[in-house]
Amino acid sequence: MCSKGGDGTIPYVRTTATTVLGDDVYVLCSELQYDQNFIYRINLKTNKAERIVSSGVRWFKISDNKLYYVKDEDNMLYSSALDGTGEMKLSDHAVSWFDSIAGKVFYTTEKDTNRFELYQADPNGKDPLVWKTPIAGVQVLNDRLICHVGENDDYGVVLLDGSGQLVLKVADPISRVLTSDEGVLLKSARDSSVKFIR
């Protein structure tokens, strides 16, 4: 909850997301306890706060000097300048996860319970389906998409490059995928062994 003072400052902030960029901190918070969350920009030197996205927002991130966020009203992905101007709708489908790689935005939409389709956002046309098989989850590491296909599929993990092209397929069913700066740890669903991919 953001408690806004009469001078436009926010003396107390309980947030669900925070990003610091230069002298500004971007927060996702609400002014009232049961209100929607909005994106605010707070100047760290002056403590002055301004609401930069006036629609209710589920979550946001800053990438490539742009603001990306999913709105409450339609679960669609939007982008804007860091001051909230120039808003553009990016997704054709409701978004359950998103990230960007080298200026390209990828997102998932739920197809079935805990099964997702992976798309690339294309604001100028129809969003292309990046991977034809539904996935259980996706993470980004070193400009690659690590897609956990699932324990009960013919293979467990696929690695895609920043264009969505296949780099590597792991044939074993995988129960867990963990990423670090060093690479990817995969836990086998068959025998609980762990494999490491750089």
Side-chain angles (χ1 to χ4, degrees):
M1 181 167 76
C2 299
S3 301
K4 202 168 193 180
D7 60 356
T9 63
I10 297 181
Y12 173 74
V13 179
R14 187 180 76 214
T15 65
T16 58
T18 306
T19 301
V20 178
L21 199 60
D23 290 335
D24 295 316
V25 60
Y26 293 80
V27 296
L28 183 64
C29 62
S30 60
E31 292 180 19
L32 303 172
Q33 187 171 359
Y34 299 106
D35 200 3
Q36 292 179 312
N37 286 317
F38 303 101
I39 301 175
Y40 287 83
R41 180 173 58 187
I42 304 168
N43 185 282
L44 294 171
K45 290 183 177 177
T46 65
N47 201 29
K48 184 170 181 179
E50 64 178 314
R51 186 190 292 182
I52 57 172
V53 175
S54 292
S55 299
V57 171
R58 291 191 185 276
W59 76 93
F60 79 94
K61 79 178 297 178
I62 294 174
S63 182
D64 302 320
N65 223 20
K66 285 177 126 179
L67 193 58
Y68 295 93
Y69 47 94
V70 176
K71 287 187 180 182
D72 285 331
E73 64 193 41
D74 58 6
N75 281 335
M76 298 290 189
L77 179 62
Y78 293 80
S79 72
S80 72
L82 292 175
D83 63 0
T85 60
E87 181 179 87
M88 182 185 330
K89 183 177 172 185
L90 296 180
S91 66
D92 290 339
H93 308 279
V95 173
S96 51
W97 169 91
F98 72 90
D99 210 332
S100 67
I101 298 175
K104 294 180 182 174
V105 179
F106 296 89
Y107 69 91
T108 60
T109 188
E110 192 167 21
K111 179 175 174 140
D112 297 310
T113 304
N114 297 322
R115 301 295 284 174
F116 304 90
E117 291 182 321
L118 178 63
Y119 289 91
Q120 181 180 338
D122 182 359
N124 300 316
K126 187 176 178 185
D127 294 348
L129 185 64
V130 175
W131 190 251
K132 306 238 182 286
T133 307
I135 58 175
V138 63
Q139 298 176 50
V140 172
L141 179 67
N142 299 328
D143 291 335
R144 292 192 175 167
L145 296 163
I146 297 107
C147 302
H148 183 197
V149 179
E151 292 183 41
N152 301 320
D153 293 290
D154 293 338
Y155 46 91
V157 169
V158 293
L159 271 68
L160 309 175
D161 66 16
S163 299
Q165 300 300 312
L166 180 66
V167 174
L168 174 71
K169 252 188 213 186
V170 176
D172 291 339
I174 301 297
S175 63
R176 266 191 100 180
V177 178
L178 299 170
T179 60
S180 75
D181 292 340
E182 302 295 319
V184 183
L185 283 171
L186 305 173
K187 183 179 177 185
S188 172
R190 287 189 190 143
D191 59 9
S192 295
S193 63
V194 176
K195 297 176 184 174
F196 183 71
I197 300 172
R198 285 189 191 269

